[in-house]
Each structure stands twice: as structure tokens, then as C-alpha cells.
Amino acid sequence: MSLRPAAGPVLLTMLAAGCAAPPPEYDLVIRHGLVIDGTGARAFEADVAIRDGRIAALGDLTAARAPHEIDARGQVVTPGFIDVHTHADALHEHPLAEHFARMGVTTVVAGNCGSSAVDVAEQFRTIADTGVSVNFATLVGHNTVRREVMGTERRAATPEELGRMQALVEQAMADGAVGFSTGLQYVPGTYAGTDEVVALARVAGARGGIYTSHMRNEGTELEAAIEEAIAIGDGAGLPVHISHLKVDAPIRWGASADALALIERARARGLAVTADQYVYDAASSSLGIRFPSWVLEGGQDAITARLDDAATWARIRTEMRGLIAERGLTDYAFARIASYGADASLNGLTIPEAAARVLEASDLDAQLEMMRRMLRAGGASMVYQFMSEDDIERILRHPQVALASDSGLNVLDIGVPHPRGYGNNARALGVYVRERKVIALEEAVRKMTALPAGVFGLADRGRLTVGAAADVVIFDPAMVVDRATYEAPHQYPDGISHVLVNGIAVVRDGVHTEARPGQTLARTTHVP
Ligand SMILES: [Zn+2]
């Protein structure tokens, strides 16, 4: 009360000092952009205001005040892209994740293909303590928990071992994992039967998680693999998400139609089945995946012993000839070396090219010998070119398929990784939306935002709406395109000007700001 007489003079003083204006309403206003909200709805003109890491207002905000503004004229403003299929498990070692951020990715989901951290709580702490540029969520991986309990033994789990694996899954889910992943083409998950996977997936499902799968087969037996994934969803009672859906055998090109029909049939009777894909005609994986899985049992010493034994190697060679023949391939020209630790000078060469250089012969026998030597020397990461554009486009048109890169954490100019880690989102927008018109821009954005957010239970992400977390991408739809190629992958895309994570710019005018506003994200949907 006694302060009232002073109010007038104080106000006059403030005016004199030029600070009469009330404090700014917002931290940042993005003006004059075309908003695509992530739901698939038509783009609309609107300003976007951000306060305290959240979308605070949307519409004509001409009168709004903020210390920072972005003029987004001629550009679209969308939710940050959610990349649900990554191998960014060691994000704390590469905390800026520049190749993800520069293609608009604001959230990565790790723990895919059965491979994750064992201790999710510790992983979240490490990432939070380090500070990272993008948000991080993770699945808990089947291969990880199986290796922890059983090593790489090629047999069924005992009831006691199964119980220990279930306990690891349970703990990871309690610590915030978004679901349970398998990599049934990889050791040791490939040694597990469907029942084991059902028993573990059920634990994730009871906590509201999903089941994601790098399936047992992605070409010659694609339909059977999808049926197994669906059976696991039915048996364990949880949603199924098929990772990097593709047809990876030329002899089966076109089978994507049957694959999508199987998904449709399961959805029609009430099982939630979704998928993701990357928009490239090549896959990326280990060298070992080209060998019969029994060769990989028991670690490097056991592998080397098999490769050095003449009779065993003869058997391996015969099986490998069968494996490529059944895909409709005649040699390993489809296989390019991405990163070979024992001799980096071979990076970028195909297997026949490497054989020609090292063995001075490039026939199939020489190629197999080259692969024997490489696996013996610790293996390599590879790029495998064996998909068709028709299948990629058919899968892309399906409304339940999200876009995701399948990329690990790339380090600029190191190795010859798959270009998807630098370009997947930009390639979808530039090549498949703008050039080929396979899907509409709004639909592509939905496949990168609201669709994956919904499937993976990241409730306040993936939509540009008031109250949502302020993960935002601003790009020029007429310019956006990938530049990374198989030969020269370390190139950031064009056309993406700004990327905000929790309201903070990690990319500004096309340059990484080195800000680290990323958060660890636990699953936000409630246990049903
Ligand atoms: Zn995979």
C-alpha cells in the first residue's frame, strides 16, 4: 500500500531509460513461413512462437515481441524429424551428431537391430552429463541381452537363462526404453527361436513398449519373416514395427507388394503393424552377414579356426555360392567396402575390385578368398547394392511406413559409410517428393514426424502445435536435396537452414551452432 505513491515516478524513470516495454512474450518468433504441422494436414501460412522450449503460439503474430526472430519467407516450418532407426548408441562420444542435425533430425532412437546398451539408466546419465545436440531415445536389444546371458552360443535358452534375459529387458523398460528390438539376421539373435523372442517381447509390451525387428530375412524369405514378426506381436500382445523394410534380393524384386499386403491384413484384424525405410537402393551391414551364420559362432578365434581349416572353408564357400545364387546374383559386385580396419586403402572398393587389387584376380573364387581374408582380419562394414527403385517407391507410398536412416554416428571424412546418414531426409524431400512426386510434401513430413512419434510413444514430439516440444526444422522445399553419394558420402544436404531442438538452434543458417539442448526421452505413453 505504502508503495503506491511511488508508482508514477518509477514508471516515468523507466520510460526515460527506454525500457518501458514489458518483457518479451516469447524467446523466438519464426515469421512468414509455411507451416507443415506433421499430421499430414495441408501446409498453411503462420508465424510460430517459442517460449521455454515449447511451441507457445501459432498464427499471425505480427504484434508479438521476442529477442530473436527468424525470417522463414519462402521456406517451410515443420516439426523436427524423428529418426526411429539409428545406431547412435554412443551419442555421448559424438555429441554434436552433426550429420543427423544437418538433415533435420532432432530426435534419434537407438538400440535397433537387437543391439543396445545393457544399462539404459547409465546410458541416459552419460548422455545427459555429456550434453548432446539432439534428443535421444532407445530400444533394448535382443542380441545385447542374449550375449550378456549366453554369449554367442548357438542353442536355445534354458528357462533360467530366459528368466535372466527377461529381467534385463524389464530393467531397461523401467529405465525408459521405448521397446524391444531384434536383429534376427545377426549373431547371437539368429540362434533364437520365435518362442524366445515372444517371451522377451511380452516383457516390453507389459510396460507399453513396442517390438521392432530387423527380421530374419529381407528378400528370399521376406513373407515368412514378416509373418514371424506378426506372430511375435500376436503372441506377446504388443505393436510390431518392421525395421528398414526392403526387398534385398533381385530375384524377389516386386515382393514389396506382398509384404505390404501382409501388414495390411494384420492391421485389418487389429494388430498395430508399422515399418520404416531409408530411400536408397543399397543396404549397409557387416561383412559377416554374407557368411553362413554358423561360421560366426563363438568369437573371432573360433571364426578364424573355421576359415583356416581347408575342409570347413570348402563347405563355407559352397554355402556362400548358394546364398548369392538364391538371391539371383552371380558375384559380389553388389558389395562395397565401407570401412575395413585391417586395410583402409580398400575402403570404397567393391569385393571384385578389392580382389583384383590384392589377389590380382577378380573371379568368384578370388572374391570369396578376399572375403575370407577380410573376415579373418576382423571383418568390415559394407554397403550392399541390391534393391529396386520400384520396391522403394511402393513402400514409400504406404501410409504406415516412416522414414528413418538406419545410420550410425558418422565422423566427417572417416571411412566410406552409407550416404543415408548424411542425406536420408533431404533425399526423401528432394528426390522422392519434389523430383519424382511419389508422395506429397506434407505426407513425407508426416512420415518423419507425427507417424514415428506416435508409434514410438514420444507424446509431445512430432507435431507443430501449441504446447509441443519446440523441435523445429526450416527448409526450402524448392532447394532441399541430399548431396552425399556412395562414393563421397561425407556431404551435408542443401536447403535446410535452421534446426531447433527444444527451442534452441543447433543449426542456424546452415551451420551447426555446437549447442547441446538434446534430452534423453523415455517412453511417454502409459501402460495400458
Ligand atoms: Zn538392421
Side-chain angles (χ1 to χ4, degrees), residues 401-456:
V401 178
L403 283 153
S405 71
D406 196 9
S407 179
L409 288 156
N410 293 327
V411 180
L412 196 63
D413 295 333
I414 301 295
V416 189
H418 195 297
R420 62 198 180 187
Y422 284 87
N424 188 53
N425 299 94
R427 180 171 174 77
L429 297 167
V431 175
Y432 291 85
V433 172
R434 187 179 61 243
E435 291 174 18
R436 299 191 198 165
K437 299 180 170 46
V438 179
I439 53 172
L441 178 58
E442 289 89 342
E443 174 68 356
V445 170
R446 186 184 69 84
K447 285 166 166 280
M448 302 174 184
T449 57
L451 174 64
V455 172
F456 283 71

Side-chain angles (χ1 to χ4, degrees), residues 1 138 348 463:
M1 248 338 195
T138 190
R463 286 165 194 253

Side-chain angles (χ1 to χ4, degrees), residues 1-18:
M1 248 338 195
S2 62
L3 290 176
R4 186 170 284 173
V10 168
L11 182 60
L12 285 172
T13 308
M14 285 172 69
L15 282 168

Side-chain angles (χ1 to χ4, degrees), residues 85 87 112-113 182-183 186 213-214 218 243-244 246 284 406:
H85 195 93
H87 297 281
N112 277 287
C113 304
T182 55
Y186 295 113
S213 185
H214 173 144
E218 299 185 305
S243 299
H244 43 59
K246 64 168 83 70
S284 177
D406 196 9

